[in-house]
Amino acid sequence: MNGETKNFSQLNEQAKQVAVKNFTTFYVHLYRTNNLEIISDKVNNTILWDIDRRLYSDKFELTDEIIEDSYNFSYKEYEKVLVHLGQKYFDNGNPELNWNEWYQKQYNAVGAGL
């Protein structure tokens, strides 16, 4: 890694797969804790509904299985989400900020009392 970062759409296909896999894990944990407000504020909700419908159908599976199924069945939707979130990535697909840090930064930017 040379330290330069890219938008999701600038990544090669292999790096996009890494980025989607990392984000899928993060998203599933947010979904399971009903904590998607920050993401839903930034992304067209019809995209999220498509992802969430699949997650709901797998709700009784183990978390690792849910993550794998969600990655496989909702890959294209996750790509659309990642285009809108403004996260930067290294050439290998790893995010500049880990997703928990990114989320906290977004959360901190929300005005008081909202």
Side-chain angles (χ1 to χ4, degrees):
M1 282 184 294
N2 60 12
E4 291 183 37
T5 58
K6 299 177 176 181
N7 294 321
F8 178 79
S9 59
Q10 296 172 309
L11 296 173
N12 66 37
E13 201 55 43
Q14 184 177 1
K16 284 182 180 180
Q17 291 172 8
V18 169
V20 170
K21 185 67 169 183
N22 287 334
F23 182 74
T24 301
T25 301
F26 175 71
Y27 187 90
V28 167
H29 289 288
L30 289 181
Y31 175 85
R32 294 191 95 185
T33 58
N34 295 316
N35 203 11
L36 291 169
E37 293 85 2
I38 298 291
I39 303 243
S40 66
D41 187 50
K42 297 181 176 302
V43 177
N44 180 322
N45 283 281
T46 58
I47 298 167
L48 300 179
W49 293 334
D50 288 340
I51 295 169
D52 295 351
R53 186 177 6 226
R54 182 66 195 190
L55 289 173
Y56 182 79
S57 70
D58 286 347
K59 66 184 173 193
F60 297 113
E61 300 296 326
L62 297 172
T63 301
D64 289 343
E65 292 172 2
I66 292 171
I67 291 167
E68 190 64 30
D69 284 351
S70 188
Y71 174 83
N72 290 328
F73 290 106
S74 300
Y75 184 88
K76 291 296 182 189
E77 287 80 12
Y78 282 120
E79 284 186 319
K80 293 173 189 173
V81 170
L82 292 176
V83 166
H84 289 92
L85 292 184
Q87 174 76 283
K88 297 290 187 177
Y89 302 88
F90 296 107
D91 284 336
N92 63 4
N94 288 328
E96 180 179 38
L97 293 175
N98 77 49
W99 282 106
N100 290 321
E101 290 176 49
W102 176 89
Y103 186 90
Q104 190 61 51
K105 184 177 176 182
Q106 303 303 309
Y107 180 85
N108 291 343
V110 174
L114 297 179

